[in-house]
Amino acid sequence: MKIASFNINGIRARLPVLLDWLEQAKPDVALLQELKSTDETFPRELIEALGYQVETHGQKSFNGVAIMSRLPLEDISRGLPGDDSDEQARYMEGTVIGDKSAVRVACLYLPNGNPAPGPKYDYKLAWMGRLEACASRLIATEEPALLAGDFNVIPQAEDCWDPAVWKEDALFLPQSREAFRRIESLGFSEAYSIRHPGMQEFTFWNYRAGAWNKDHGIRIDHFMLSPAASDLLLDCQIDTYVRGLGKPSDHVPIWVRLDG
DNA sequence: ATGGCAATCAATGATTGA
C-alpha cells in the first residue's frame, strides 16, 4: 500500500493542486496537514469522487489534519492525548486495512515553535513529549504503525541548505532534534534516511526570496515507522515536482510504499 | 535573515507560518 503525507497549506486554496497530484500519484492513503478549514467547510465531495473515504479533524483558520483512504479505514481518533486544554487540531489516528496487514497511521502537524525561546517553543517541546507517549503506546502493540506528517524538525545538518542560517531556529535547535531522536530511540525508523542514506532532498521551500529557485529548502516532513512497519517498507520518495506546479503549497508530498 | 510570500478572517489590516 502507498501512504503519502502532504502539508497542503490550506485545503480550499490548494484543491486544484491536490486533485492533480492525487490523480498522478494515486496513493491508497493520503495524510494531510494544515487544512486551515473546519470540518464543515472542508471540500470533501471532489475527493470522495476519486474514491477516498475522508476523515477530518479541522479548525477554523489554522492547523487541521485529515486522513483520506481508498482502503478500508477504521477506528479514527482525533486529537493528541495528554492535555485536555489543548484546542489545536494537529493529530489524528486511523487504522488502514490492507490486503496483507492492518496499519495504524498517525497524521500529525507538529508545532513550529518559533520564536525560541518562548511560550511557542515550550508548547512545541511539550507537544513532542505527548507525541513520544503516543509513539510508546503504538510500538507496544507490536502491530505495524507509523507517525507521519509535518514534524517541523530538521533532523540533521544535511537536511537543510545552510545549517548556519537555521542554527537558532526552533526547527533545528538541539532540544528539538533530541526530542525527535527520542522517538527513534523507542524503535521508530525514519523512512527516508533508511532508504536514502547520504542523500540530500528537501520537502519545504519558503515562498519568500526565491527559495525554490535557489533550492534553499529543508526536510521537515517525515515518516516514522514502527519495527513491524519497517519490516514492510519497500520504498520512500519525495514528490518534489509538486512545488513547481501553479499555486503550490510550500511543502511537497512524501510517501512510503509498504508490503501490506 | 528565508526583509521581499501566501492563506485566512475580516474589513484594509492583522495574524500566522517556518
Side-chain angles (χ1 to χ4, degrees):
Chain A
M1 70 176 75
K2 181 177 181 178
I3 305 176
S5 170
F6 189 8
N7 177 322
I8 52 172
N9 187 18
I11 180 71
R12 285 164 289 167
R14 210 67 59 218
L15 200 53
V17 162
L18 177 64
L19 294 172
D20 186 322
W21 167 73
L22 281 174
E23 293 193 54
Q24 289 194 53
K26 297 182 167 43
D28 297 302
V29 182
L31 312 174
L32 303 184
Q33 303 90 36
E34 257 197 297
L35 305 180
K36 297 185 174 181
S37 166
T38 61
D39 296 339
E40 290 72 27
T41 53
F42 186 100
R44 60 173 57 243
E45 289 77 10
L46 289 168
I47 297 165
E48 288 173 339
L50 295 177
Y52 290 93
Q53 177 181 338
V54 177
E55 300 288 347
T56 61
H57 178 41
Q59 179 180 345
K60 191 175 182 180
S61 301
F62 309 115
N63 305 320
V65 289
I67 301 177
M68 318 187 314
S69 180
R70 298 200 290 192
L71 293 167
L73 177 60
E74 303 175 349
D75 299 325
I76 302 296
S77 71
R78 294 172 171 82
L80 184 69
D83 181 358
D84 292 340
S85 68
D86 185 359
E87 312 243 314
Q88 300 195 34
R90 296 177 172 274
Y91 185 89
M92 66 187 297
E93 293 181 13
T95 299
V96 179
I97 312 299
D99 296 334
K100 299 181 190 171
S101 55
V103 180
R104 187 70 175 165
V105 300
C107 173
L108 65 99
Y109 175 43
L110 206 150
N112 174 305
N114 280 307
K120 291 192 173 181
Y121 194 56
D122 295 340
Y123 176 66
K124 177 177 192 146
L125 293 179
W127 204 96
M128 293 185 84
R130 291 159 61 198
L131 181 63
E132 188 183 346
C134 279
S136 294
R137 167 175 54 78
L138 289 171
I139 213 161
T141 67
E142 299 187 9
E143 301 293 326
L146 59 84
L147 306 169
D150 178 1
F151 279 74
N152 268 318
V153 173
I154 300 167
Q156 50 196 356
E158 304 82 77
D159 298 317
C160 59
W161 64 279
D162 184 355
V165 169
W166 293 90
K167 196 166 180 294
E168 309 292 328
D169 194 282
L171 281 63
F172 194 54
L173 282 173
Q175 276 183 288
S176 305
R177 289 189 277 153
E178 283 161 15
F180 188 80
R181 295 281 168 246
R182 277 199 292 278
I183 294 172
E184 289 185 313
S185 301
L186 296 171
F188 280 84
S189 301
E190 195 257 284
Y192 179 85
S193 63
I194 295 292
R195 291 288 301 177
H196 309 288
M199 281 272 291
Q200 184 182 62
E201 284 190 277
F202 305 132
T203 63
F204 170 89
W205 297 259
N206 202 303
Y207 288 121
R208 286 172 282 195
W212 165 243
N213 289 325
K214 292 186 278 193
D215 200 23
H216 287 181
I218 53 179
R219 193 170 69 87
I220 55 175
D221 298 86
H222 308 295
F223 272 85
M224 301 279 264
L225 309 182
S226 75
S230 288
D231 289 344
L232 305 176
L233 181 62
L234 299 174
D235 199 2
C236 176
Q237 299 288 342
I238 297 168
D239 287 339
T240 308
Y241 79 93
V242 176
R243 188 63 176 79
L245 299 176
K247 211 167 161 22
S249 172
D250 40 8
H251 295 251
V252 295
I254 177 171
W255 53 265
V256 295
R257 192 178 297 282
L258 302 180
D259 184 22

